[in-house]
Amino acid sequence: MTILNSYFGKFGGMYVPQILVPALLQLEKYFIKYIKNKNFIRKFKELLNNYAGRPTPLTLCKNITFGTNTKLYLKREDLLHSGAHKINQVIGQALLTKKMKKTNIIAETGAGQHGVSTAMVCALLDLKCKIYMGSKDIYRQNTNVMKMKLLGAKVIPVNTGTKTLKSACNEAIRSWSNNYHNTHYMIGTSAGPHPYPTIVHKFQSIISSETKKQIIKLENKFPNVIIACVGGGSNAIGIFSKFLNKDNIKLIGVEAGGKNNNKNGASLKYGKIGIYFGMKSNIIQDNYGQIKDSHSISAGLDFPSVGPEHAWLNYIKKVKYVTINDKDAVDAFKILCKKEGIIPALESSHALAYAIKIIKKNPIKKQTIIVNLSGRGDKDIYSVSSFVKK
Amino acid sequence: MKTRYNNLFINLKKNNEKCFIPFIVLGDPNFETSLNIIDNIIKNGADAIEVGIPFSDPFGDGPIIQNANLRAINSKITVSKCFKILKILRKKYFKIPIGLLTYANIVFCNGIKNFYKKCYEVGLDSILIVDVPVEESSVFYKHSLKNKVSQIFLCPPNVEDYTLNKIIKMSNDYIYIISKPGVTGIFNNKIFNTDTISNRIKKISDIPLIQGFGIYSKNQIKNILKSKIDGVICGSIIVNQIEKYLHNKNKIIKKINNLIKKFKESTKI
């Protein structure tokens, strides 16, 4: 049995074939042991600071908010080595892998950011690395594929199913159930079977620990609103975690509204509760329980489910979840480039687009908003350019 | 209570035979052909059958079964159509045990209570949910007991004692022993030695043990059945014939019939 609670309210659990249960319990055991171990935490923090480049700054955007009373800050996870928040928790999981004496890593990736982070840390810590990636994503995120290969990872194209992140996740689980004895499955987000959502929450909470200190230093008060994009939900849970007990801060998660209510990645808005990818959570599915294809211009948000903690936070209305469509995300992407000289990831552009909406709605309102800029957008310039051409 | 499986295992023992259970996905490649295939499988010697309700993301299965699931879904097979097939089968074949294999979301989405009730109504004997390990099984198990549909659990040979004891306690008709790590498929030779696990179980229980995953030849079946294993389930090698001869229904039936006869013959000791 699990030692930690494997559920967030009625969401979560460990829905995997029996053969994988011992591997999950082993991971939980090592996580519990080492998360309180001073040497482990010291090593984790040392790598976060001196390898990944933490702490990341809070940047005030003066141009976008010009003429309004809003102070808009970006938490600059895009400035991390690897270009996204993904590296925070990858370092943690890779260190656990070493402690478990496993030599191989498998991972799945959509936009490629998790794949790149995984490949980097595997190179650093001498772990063999295989990355499963949908062939559709390989096409739209080719730069990241090249990076992964240069870093020594084997990128395995997945041609089954939707050929996107969903199919890559299935393949990774298949592969893991064959090699769990020497291989750790590096899940890239706060989704999947227990204990992954808990582990990812813990390792990504560094984002909100820093944000809390930084905003107090800069403004001498907490922000009014914190916004983050939500695919699986790791950057969002990372920046929300230390603010979840503050009732006067509005926490907003932004899902991929995609093209319309039939083609999107918004499982909290358009999905319903079900069991998939090892967990009970909200899922985009048909009336018969078949998992539907998701859609988003952003490969990282193109996933038909969401981490169970988000499903719970949505259920108890602790966090407000909204959607932003492809077009508004691309507009926000362009605005940040032109006004502030920052190229955001398309994922983060969803969060930014919602912040812009709030600011536009009430420009005279005095407020402080923080957007988690979860990654940088070099990888997305071709997607944006082909979207603009259409 | 005597179940169809109980009767089957008793009769097989009397005849010095072990159990052969073919697996196919319901509605693969379409409603009519699927029914036809099952008819032939039963006529040619299957002792029991295991059938899958198709799921879009069968991550516990290899590419052959995955493709079968997708073929069935593409031919508009729904859960209610699967129950229609099961109803027809039960009417035709009263004595043969019919087991269902599916994934958690199919059961959950249709309402766990409602799903098990339907299983009872169509006369289903067992249900195996690939992504529900014993650790998550309590709600499912409760309804299986209530509806007299036996819950089948996958049991890896390296299972820990605590889990094994739970599996034994919760299993009525048989335990499904996995013969290799990973997913279903016919070309992975990494077969576990299941002697240890079968001895471990038989020391405390006389529940039948059925082995599955990666079984695709007569010799394999003969070797497996020399041990304390009571029967085998073969899926991918059979389903592969559907994929191979997709546009020639007669050939599918002919090829599958040959396999069934050959495999059943190998279970006679």
Side-chain angles (χ1 to χ4, degrees):
Chain A
M1 291 305 288
T2 61
I3 300 164
L4 301 171
N5 185 1
S6 61
Y7 278 84
F8 301 90
K10 59 179 175 177
F11 302 96
M14 211 162 56
Y15 293 88
V16 293
Q18 192 74 54
I19 199 162
L20 284 176
V21 172
L24 293 172
L25 295 181
Q26 181 195 25
L27 178 60
E28 187 200 48
K29 193 175 115 190
Y30 276 77
F31 172 67
I32 293 167
K33 183 176 174 189
Y34 284 102
I35 204 62
K36 286 179 186 156
N37 179 296
K38 277 183 191 164
N39 290 336
F40 182 89
I41 294 298
R42 195 181 301 127
K43 180 76 182 162
F44 176 55
K45 288 196 171 158
E46 191 250 312
L47 287 173
L48 282 182
N49 296 342
N50 302 329
Y51 182 71
R54 300 208 74 88
T56 58
L58 266 187
T59 301
L60 180 64
C61 298
K62 286 184 179 162
N63 301 331
I64 287 182
T65 53
F66 183 73
T68 76
N69 283 325
T70 297
K71 278 194 159 180
L72 173 65
Y73 285 96
L74 303 179
K75 178 61 177 162
R76 299 294 305 280
E77 296 297 290
D78 61 312
L79 293 179
L80 286 168
H81 178 49
S82 89
H85 72 290
K86 297 284 186 187
I87 198 160
N88 301 326
Q89 71 99 10
V90 161
I91 290 174
Q93 281 197 48
L95 290 175
L96 284 178
T97 307
K98 297 292 266 190
K99 292 292 179 195
M100 289 188 287
K101 302 212 180 324
K102 293 187 176 183
T103 51
N104 294 38
I105 292 283
I106 52 166
E108 86 300 312
T109 194
Q113 288 306 101
H114 174 56
V116 169
S117 298
T118 303
M120 279 177 173
V121 177
C122 284
L124 180 75
L125 298 179
D126 192 25
L127 292 159
K128 282 183 195 153
C129 179
K130 268 187 196 171
I131 311 280
Y132 290 86
M133 193 169 183
S135 51
K136 200 169 143 189
D137 290 336
I138 286 182
Y139 175 75
R140 57 180 170 174
Q141 300 293 351
N142 207 268
T143 320
N144 274 343
V145 175
M146 281 165 65
K147 284 184 193 169
M148 284 182 256
K149 286 181 178 169
L150 279 170
L151 291 160
K154 200 170 173 189
V155 179
I156 300 169
V158 178
N159 289 309
T160 52
T162 56
K163 300 173 189 169
T164 59
L165 183 56
K166 172 176 170 272
S167 313
C169 288
N170 291 339
E171 280 308 316
I173 292 185
R174 285 192 180 113
S175 166
W176 194 37
S177 53
N178 207 7
N179 301 302
Y180 56 89
H181 52 282
N182 68 356
T183 300
H184 173 65
Y185 178 13
M186 183 87 82
I187 289 186
T189 189
S190 55
H194 174 77
Y196 284 100
T198 300
I199 290 177
V200 175
H201 176 128
K202 181 72 190 171
F203 288 141
Q204 288 294 6
S205 67
I206 184 73
I207 304 173
S208 57
S209 299
E210 280 176 14
T211 306
K212 212 170 165 182
K213 282 184 208 151
Q214 289 167 323
I215 197 68
I216 291 291
K217 202 172 171 192
L218 288 162
E219 295 290 331
N220 201 24
K221 61 177 182 183
F222 284 131
N224 304 94
V225 185
I226 297 175
I227 309 174
C229 64
V230 177
S234 66
N235 90 88
I237 213 65
I239 197 160
F240 293 163
S241 64
K242 303 288 178 192
F243 297 101
L244 284 168
N245 58 355
K246 306 269 177 232
D247 287 337
N248 51 352
I249 301 175
K250 208 168 192 178
L251 304 175
I252 302 175
V254 185
E255 294 192 286
K259 288 181 180 164
N260 52 48
N261 55 5
N262 279 321
K263 293 195 90 166
N264 58 72
S267 55
L268 291 168
K269 180 157 188 188
Y270 298 113
K272 59 175 181 174
I273 185 167
I275 299 168
Y276 166 66
F277 193 47
M279 61 183 173
K280 192 182 280 180
S281 187
N282 275 60
I283 301 169
I284 300 172
Q285 55 184 308
D286 68 14
N287 292 333
Y288 305 104
Q290 307 295 355
I291 313 303
K292 278 167 67 174
D293 298 352
S294 54
H295 164 83
S296 171
I297 186 168
S298 145
L301 302 183
D302 195 350
F303 187 60
S305 190
V306 63
E309 190 173 5
H310 286 291
W312 175 239
L313 293 171
N314 178 52
Y315 182 75
I316 60 170
K317 297 189 168 57
K318 181 73 209 169
V319 175
K320 180 182 173 186
Y321 292 89
V322 298
T323 57
I324 281 291
N325 65 28
D326 288 350
K327 186 188 173 300
D328 289 349
V330 170
D331 287 346
F333 178 99
K334 291 196 288 185
I335 288 169
L336 199 70
C337 290
K338 283 190 182 149
K339 296 263 185 185
E340 306 286 348
I342 296 170
I343 304 175
L346 268 173
E347 289 82 353
S348 324
S349 302
H350 285 72
L352 187 69
Y354 197 77
I356 292 170
K357 257 190 176 179
I358 294 177
I359 297 166
K360 275 187 180 165
K361 198 177 168 190
N362 195 351
I364 55 163
K365 188 177 178 184
K366 261 193 157 185
Q367 59 186 342
T368 305
I369 299 176
I370 298 176
V371 167
N372 195 18
L373 204 75
S374 57
R376 67 170 180 244
D378 319 26
K379 66 186 175 61
D380 295 318
I381 51 173
Y382 296 111
S383 298
V384 170
S385 121
S386 71
F387 185 86
V388 172
K389 274 181 206 158
K390 276 179 190 170
Chain B
M1 191 190 70
K2 282 264 179 287
T3 65
R4 286 190 186 91
Y5 283 111
N6 286 152
N7 291 331
L8 171 67
F9 287 113
I10 290 167
N11 289 335
L12 286 170
K13 211 170 187 180
K14 270 186 206 160
N15 298 330
N16 282 329
E17 288 179 30
K18 288 198 173 179
C19 184
F20 172 57
I21 311 178
F23 167 83
I24 63 140
V25 175
L26 288 174
D28 172 30
N30 56 52
F31 190 98
E32 288 76 23
T33 313
S34 181
L35 255 177
N36 205 337
I37 290 170
I38 299 172
D39 276 335
N40 277 279
I41 281 176
I42 295 173
K43 276 178 202 157
N44 282 284
D47 295 309
I49 53 164
E50 190 186 39
V51 292
I53 289 190
F55 179 52
S56 54
D57 294 82
F59 56 77
D61 286 290
I64 294 173
I65 305 291
Q66 184 186 18
N67 288 343
N69 278 274
L70 295 180
R71 277 196 299 275
I73 291 169
N74 289 339
S75 77
K76 309 269 182 256
I77 292 298
T78 58
V79 172
S80 54
K81 283 186 186 168
C82 288
F83 278 111
K84 260 187 199 167
I85 298 179
L86 291 169
K87 206 173 169 184
I88 295 169
L89 291 175
R90 178 49 75 218
K91 223 174 167 182
K92 273 190 184 171
Y93 309 103
F94 184 73
K95 282 186 178 171
I96 193 162
I98 303 175
L100 191 66
L101 177 145
T102 192
Y103 283 78
N105 202 44
I106 296 293
V107 182
F108 186 83
C109 175
N110 286 277
I112 300 176
K113 187 178 168 187
N114 180 47
F115 192 91
Y116 276 86
K117 198 169 157 247
K118 278 185 187 166
C119 291
Y120 170 75
E121 283 166 1
V122 297
L124 202 77
D125 298 283
S126 67
I127 179 165
L128 190 168
I129 310 172
V130 177
D131 49 348
V132 175
V134 278
E135 286 79 359
E136 296 290 353
S137 64
S138 60
V139 183
F140 299 88
Y141 186 63
K142 189 179 92 185
H143 289 287
S144 83
L145 288 179
K146 211 171 167 184
N147 290 285
K148 299 181 179 65
V149 178
S150 179
Q151 195 78 27
I152 304 293
F153 292 99
L154 291 170
C155 179
N158 53 353
V159 69
E160 286 172 5
D161 283 343
Y162 174 79
T163 310
L164 180 61
N165 288 335
K166 229 173 153 185
I167 290 175
I168 293 171
K169 208 172 157 192
M170 294 167 87
S171 302
N172 285 329
D173 282 322
Y174 71 87
I175 294 173
Y176 191 129
I177 305 290
I178 300 173
S179 51
K180 70 182 184 69
V183 294
T184 56
I186 51 179
F187 303 116
N188 186 337
N189 292 321
K190 233 194 232 174
I191 298 257
F192 282 124
N193 180 353
T194 54
D195 285 352
T196 315
I197 186 72
S198 48
N199 286 331
R200 272 169 80 194
I201 297 173
K202 292 285 182 179
K203 259 185 203 166
I204 29 179
S205 166
D206 59 358
I207 187 157
L209 307 178
I210 303 290
Q211 187 170 332
F213 280 38
I215 301 170
Y216 58 90
S217 75
K218 256 169 63 176
N219 284 345
Q220 267 181 324
I221 295 174
K222 280 184 179 166
N223 280 334
I224 289 167
L225 297 181
K226 275 178 197 161
S227 67
K228 289 180 178 163
I229 297 288
D230 301 281
V232 290
I233 292 185
C234 296
S236 297
I237 184 72
I238 296 166
V239 172
N240 196 33
Q241 308 308 311
I242 303 177
E243 181 165 308
K244 232 168 150 181
Y245 304 104
L246 198 54
H247 302 294
N248 189 340
K249 188 183 141 190
N250 292 336
K251 206 155 188 183
I252 293 176
I253 304 279
K254 201 176 152 193
K255 291 280 179 186
I256 289 181
N257 286 352
N258 287 342
L259 276 178
I260 303 293
K261 280 182 202 158
K262 202 165 74 174
F263 288 168
K264 178 56 213 166
E265 196 55 39
S266 316
T267 66
K268 293 177 181 166
I269 38 180

